[in-house]
Amino acid sequence: MRLANLNFLNNSSRPGDRRTKRHRPLVPETSQRQAGATNGSMTVKGEADIIIVGAGVAGLAAACDLAQAGLAVHIVEARNRIGGRVFTQSEALTKTPIELGAEFIHGSPPEILDLLRALQVKPVATSGDDWCEQDGQLSECDLFSDVDSLLEKMDDREPDQSFLDFLRRFGRAASEDTRQRARRYITGFHAADPALISVHSLVRSIRADAKIQAEHAFRIQGGYAVLLESFQNQLKQTGVPIQLNTPLERLQWKRNQVVLDCNSEGGRKTYCARQALLSLPLGVLQTRGDQVGAVRFAPDLPATKKKALNNLAMGKVMRLTLRFKERFWEHLHPSGAKTLAEMRFLFSRQEPFPTWWTQMPNRQPIITGWAPSHCAEALSGKGATVVLSSACQVLGELLKLAPPHIEQLVESAAFHDWQHDPFARGAYSYVKVGGDSAQQDLAAPIENTVFFAGEATDFSGYHGTVHGAIRSGHRAAGEILAVRTQNRPRSIS
């Protein structure tokens, strides 16, 4: 099958989200008439107590809390859909949910499990065999057994250092293979540059993960879209409108007043409220100038915020999900009599896709390839054909099959270039060396007027995760409610 003829799924050509029909417009018709819009511009005053910018899970969670507390909440979202970096599509033939963003639940985070329990949806644990490639051969493996013993030597009581410097100091006693696996863990799981990521932050993440047994991975039946639908239903019940296709371009603020200049499909709109909550990805907050997605602040962000943004980095990931004509790997015998029929994960050194996984225990003919960090950077912007060709090349080498044969077995492919997405500009965040307080400083409200949420603002060790993002939304909503009851949280100026 020619690569150019494959059915690619991504959001570049996705039609407008059907949720626009479920929610009333952000600006009611009466307000539109009163505003007297001219030249495609409109100013709306007094429509909301608080404007939330960004309809990712952090913004949605905060909106639910604030609306249930009786506040008038409006959401503006740059995309034509809700969810942010949670992006589920349904595979046409098998009806399997295909995640272009977040896929797994790591451990038992109450932020997710409580929502699923209310929906009577039980997460499905991943299962099966893990395989590793070593010297061109595949064998069953426990990839992290040696790596864990090395990671346990990290200490946040000593001065911070990069993971690469840690390896140079403490990794000498480990084998070269263990050191390489440790580096691949940092680039693969954290999507981070080992020369930049903070050891202190890694220690906090490990401790946080231990509390929820994050070594166990689960999926949601129906995909993360189930979670989005739950949020959406809550917001519908409380009358919270969501204005899609409305990127924020400029935010003017002073104490107890915000003015948001947005560029919507119907023309420019200006929204006024007492407070604003920004639940934007780190990569967007770091964007400056006239680039698409950039937000200008007037007055500019405080120095503490700028320092925080400099001490955080956006990890890069390119993931590609392939549906094949059949589960052809079931018949492959890489090591003696055992086949790959139960394969769950496949780890290798082959770039740009060193990690692969199946849908086990779901036996669909689907495999996902994971290109993290510098691998994603090399693929970003190259287009669907190059990404698919690279993936088939790597998978063919690992499974000892000719890449053209792999290509012929592919029936559909799904991917999203998060690095080139102007409203994401990366996958998820990590802390750079010396950034111990960066997440707290980014999360802190400005003059109790501009608040911040999103996974990059989570300082409990769960940044980079869906539950960390939801947690940050609840935290920001609590700060706003505290201000409104005169119990003011920490603020910077």
Side-chain angles (χ1 to χ4, degrees):
M1 177 179 292
R2 291 176 56 84
L3 300 185
N5 293 334
L6 284 175
N7 176 28
F8 276 92
L9 298 177
N10 56 60
N11 80 338
S12 61
S13 59
R14 193 176 184 213
D17 197 290
R18 60 192 174 95
R19 298 175 183 86
T20 56
K21 297 180 180 179
R22 292 187 180 182
H23 290 287
R24 62 185 175 88
L26 179 58
V27 186
E29 291 182 4
T30 53
S31 298
Q32 294 184 32
R33 289 194 295 269
Q34 293 168 359
T38 60
N39 298 324
S41 64
M42 181 186 304
T43 299
V44 184
K45 297 182 179 180
E47 290 297 323
D49 295 315
I50 183 163
I51 304 288
I52 295 180
V53 182
V57 294
L60 297 174
C64 289
D65 289 352
L66 295 170
Q68 288 170 6
L71 296 185
V73 181
H74 288 166
I75 302 175
V76 294
E77 164 59 44
R79 304 179 187 278
N80 65 350
R81 59 178 180 83
I82 66 170
R85 285 165 283 167
V86 171
F87 190 6
T88 308
Q89 293 190 337
S90 179
E91 205 285 317
L93 185 63
T94 65
K95 305 302 180 184
T96 300
I98 299 297
E99 302 289 10
L100 301 185
E103 178 172 351
F104 298 103
I105 301 173
H106 299 285
S108 303
E111 294 81 8
I112 295 177
L113 296 190
D114 288 349
L115 288 170
L116 295 182
R117 194 174 296 112
L119 297 171
Q120 298 184 329
V121 174
K122 187 175 181 180
V124 178
T126 64
S127 63
D129 305 327
D130 296 337
W131 292 76
C132 291
E133 178 263 341
Q134 182 73 30
D135 299 326
Q137 300 299 320
L138 297 183
S139 60
E140 285 188 87
C141 64
D142 181 1
L143 179 69
F144 300 112
S145 57
D146 293 338
V147 172
D148 284 343
S149 62
L150 178 58
L151 297 180
E152 288 172 357
K153 297 180 181 180
M154 294 190 300
D155 191 345
D156 62 351
R157 292 170 296 182
E158 296 187 0
D160 200 10
Q161 60 184 320
S162 72
F163 185 77
L164 191 58
D165 286 339
F166 163 79
L167 274 185
R168 290 168 179 160
R169 291 183 59 191
F170 297 98
R172 296 175 182 175
S175 67
E176 175 62 22
D177 182 61
T178 298
R179 291 196 298 271
Q180 290 298 325
R181 287 186 179 187
R183 289 188 63 168
R184 293 201 298 275
Y185 164 74
I186 296 299
T187 59
F189 188 78
H190 292 276
D193 183 341
L196 295 179
I197 191 170
S198 159
V199 163
H200 284 185
S201 72
L202 290 171
V203 172
R204 288 196 296 271
S205 293
I206 290 173
R207 288 173 181 161
D209 286 346
K211 295 177 181 179
I212 61 172
Q213 298 180 309
E215 69 274 13
H216 302 294
F218 303 83
R219 290 187 181 90
I220 303 173
Q221 293 185 34
Y224 265 110
V226 171
L227 215 61
L228 298 184
E229 187 172 353
S230 172
F231 281 129
Q232 190 177 25
N233 288 337
Q234 293 181 59
L235 295 176
K236 185 177 180 180
Q237 291 170 8
T238 52
V240 175
I242 303 175
Q243 181 68 55
L244 302 175
N245 299 305
T246 306
L248 171 65
E249 294 186 342
R250 187 169 184 260
L251 190 152
Q252 302 176 71
W253 61 273
K254 62 181 180 180
R255 183 179 288 274
N256 295 326
Q257 181 180 336
V258 292
V259 179
L260 291 77
D261 296 324
C262 302
N263 184 13
S264 71
E265 286 184 329
R268 305 196 66 81
K269 292 182 181 179
T270 300
Y271 302 103
C272 303
R274 284 183 56 189
Q275 296 165 316
L277 169 58
L278 303 186
S279 60
L280 299 172
L282 172 67
V284 173
L285 291 174
Q286 291 173 328
T287 302
R288 291 289 180 264
D290 296 328
Q291 299 182 66
V292 177
V295 177
R296 300 188 303 277
F297 293 86
D300 203 356
L301 289 174
T304 311
K305 288 283 187 208
K306 293 182 178 180
K307 182 179 179 181
L309 291 172
N310 288 332
N311 282 329
L312 298 170
M314 198 66 165
K316 300 176 177 64
V317 168
M318 180 79 78
R319 52 173 296 162
L320 174 70
T321 299
L322 305 174
R323 178 176 63 79
F324 296 93
K325 297 176 181 178
E326 60 179 338
R327 297 183 84 244
F328 63 90
W329 56 93
E330 287 188 344
H331 313 298
L332 302 180
H333 297 258
S335 61
K338 190 163 188 177
T339 71
L340 296 176
E342 304 296 317
M343 181 176 68
R344 177 176 62 168
F345 282 94
L346 171 56
F347 303 101
S348 79
R349 300 182 182 183
Q350 298 284 348
E351 295 184 355
F353 286 96
T355 303
W356 299 82
W357 62 79
T358 67
Q359 294 287 305
M360 287 291 291
N362 186 328
R363 295 181 178 274
Q364 295 290 351
I366 293 172
I367 295 183
T368 296
W370 183 259
S373 190
H374 63 280
C375 297
E377 194 169 10
L379 288 173
S380 184
K382 296 295 179 61
T385 301
V386 171
V387 173
L388 178 59
S389 179
S390 300
C392 290
Q393 181 70 34
V394 171
L395 195 58
E397 291 176 3
L398 291 173
L399 300 182
K400 306 299 183 184
L401 296 172
H405 179 63
I406 298 286
E407 294 172 5
Q408 291 173 358
L409 291 172
V410 177
E411 288 197 328
S412 69
F415 88 108
H416 184 83
D417 190 341
W418 293 104
Q419 286 65 241
H420 257 53
D421 183 332
F423 304 122
R425 297 188 180 274
Y428 44 85
S429 68
Y430 64 92
V431 181
K432 293 159 68 174
V433 178
D436 281 354
S437 67
Q439 292 161 321
Q440 292 96 320
D441 291 338
L442 184 59
I446 303 175
E447 295 286 344
N448 288 324
T449 300
V450 183
F451 295 78
F452 295 82
E455 56 86 12
T457 71
D458 177 77
F459 45 88
S460 62
Y462 297 121
H463 61 279
T465 67
V466 174
H467 54 276
I470 295 173
R471 188 184 184 100
S472 77
H474 293 318
R475 184 259 311 152
E479 291 172 346
I480 293 167
L481 294 174
V483 167
R484 288 179 173 264
T485 57
Q486 302 303 311
N487 181 20
R488 297 183 181 274
R490 180 174 72 94
S491 179
I492 65 174
S493 58

